[in-house]
Amino acid sequence: MKNSNHKAIAIVGVGAIMPDAANLPAFWNNIKTGKYSISEVSKDRWDSTLYYDPDPKAPDKTYSRIGGWVRDWKWDPLGWRLPIPPKVSDLMDLTQIWAISASREALQDFGYPEKQFDPERTAVILGNAMGGDQHLYSSARVLFPEYETMMANSGSFAAFPDKVKRILLEK
């Protein structure tokens, strides 16, 4: 058998932010207790009257109003003594915030800072389902019904000729 010790890895800490679970112990408890974390979308997440259509082929619509939602979760970089200025923190998106929070939890799960590690031989591996660089294009398209509603309710938009309004609202 070939010696593969030089390729060995060890997972020494885990962190997670999941639907109805702000951390890994809460997620594990949800699994053990059989908690069902799928529910209808709340209006503060997105307005189903703008985005929902039961027809799966309807353009720019979703045929589902259910999902797994992260709730009751706290972001407290100052309380956690993270060197993130409040103005920077206010501009971070959820993918960034959750990545930092889950990484922090994984390091704490390992025992850091009381337990030290070799930073040259340590990595924090992240996974997410929030989209990548191209996500901003799909987000703009997804948010179009809200933009359309705002334009329709704007006095300035109402003053445009009908032809201009149609061009601006074309999908």
Side-chain angles (χ1 to χ4, degrees):
M1 177 178 223
K2 184 178 175 184
N3 184 346
S4 60
N5 286 344
H6 68 285
K7 295 180 182 178
I9 64 165
I11 297 170
V12 297
V14 180
I17 298 170
M18 308 291 277
D20 289 336
N23 54 44
L24 192 62
F27 179 63
W28 184 240
N29 187 61
N30 288 350
I31 291 171
K32 290 190 307 187
T33 61
K35 181 171 183 163
Y36 187 73
S37 294
I38 304 298
S39 62
E40 284 209 23
V41 65
S42 62
K43 193 138 181 133
D44 65 321
R45 180 74 178 185
W46 51 267
D47 186 349
S48 63
T49 61
L50 295 175
Y51 297 107
Y52 174 77
D53 192 307
D55 179 4
K57 294 181 180 170
D60 300 325
K61 300 289 182 181
T62 180
Y63 59 91
S64 177
R65 292 184 287 207
I66 62 172
W69 316 105
V70 173
R71 300 180 247 252
D72 301 324
W73 174 84
K74 187 178 177 188
W75 168 241
D76 186 19
L78 292 178
W80 299 339
R81 299 174 49 101
L82 297 176
I84 301 172
K87 287 184 179 182
V88 172
S89 176
D90 291 344
L91 296 174
M92 293 171 64
D93 67 33
L94 282 177
T95 303
Q96 295 168 310
I97 289 170
W98 289 345
I100 290 169
S101 298
S103 298
R104 176 182 176 269
E105 182 184 356
L107 289 168
Q108 287 179 319
D109 188 42
F110 164 73
Y112 183 80
E114 292 80 21
K115 191 175 176 185
Q116 294 298 305
F117 58 86
D118 180 355
E120 297 295 320
R121 297 180 48 137
T122 305
V124 175
I125 309 300
L126 298 171
N128 82 67
M130 300 287 284
D133 292 340
Q134 300 299 316
H135 182 66
L136 67 107
Y137 299 113
S138 61
S139 292
R141 184 175 175 121
V142 165
L143 293 172
F144 184 77
E146 291 181 37
Y147 302 148
E148 185 177 29
T149 300
M150 286 186 268
M151 286 191 292
N153 294 327
S154 164
S156 301
F157 184 77
F160 287 142
D162 287 340
K163 183 178 178 181
V164 172
K165 287 191 271 191
R166 274 193 309 277
I167 292 169
L168 290 171
L169 293 175
E170 280 181 6
K171 295 180 184 178

